[in-house]
Amino acid sequence: MAVKKKAVASEERKEELFTLSQLTAAEKFSDRKDVLKAVLCDRKAYSVGEVEKRIEKFMKGKVK
C-alpha cells in the first residue's frame, strides 16, 4: 500500500499549473470568473485541484 500512496503523491506533483488569466479564459471556470479573481493571486500559478478547493472554501464561507 505504501507504494501506491507514493505513486499518487508523485502524480499530484505533475499537475499542470495555470495562471489567473489562463483560468479565467478556460471554459471550465467560465461561470466562476468573479470568484477566481477574488480568491487567486495574479502572479501565482495554480493547479486545477487547488483552484477547485479554493472556490469551494470561498463559497462555504460565512458572510460577516
Side-chain angles (χ1 to χ4, degrees):
M1 277 214 173
V3 175
K4 289 183 182 180
K5 288 183 181 181
K6 288 181 182 179
V8 171
S10 65
E11 287 177 15
E12 289 180 277
R13 292 181 189 159
K14 292 181 183 179
E15 286 187 41
E16 290 187 48
L17 301 178
F18 302 96
T19 63
L20 177 60
S21 60
Q22 290 174 318
L23 292 164
T24 55
E27 187 176 322
K28 180 174 183 161
F29 297 111
S30 63
D31 61 334
R32 301 282 187 169
K33 290 180 183 182
D34 55 340
V35 177
L36 289 176
K37 291 178 182 177
V39 299
L40 303 179
C41 180
D42 197 24
R43 296 185 178 121
K44 188 177 174 190
Y46 302 91
S47 67
V48 174
E50 184 180 0
V51 171
E52 290 172 343
K53 286 178 187 178
R54 286 178 179 242
I55 290 173
E56 184 179 335
K57 183 179 177 182
F58 178 79
M59 297 304 284
K60 287 184 180 181
K62 294 184 181 181
V63 177
K64 293 183 180 179

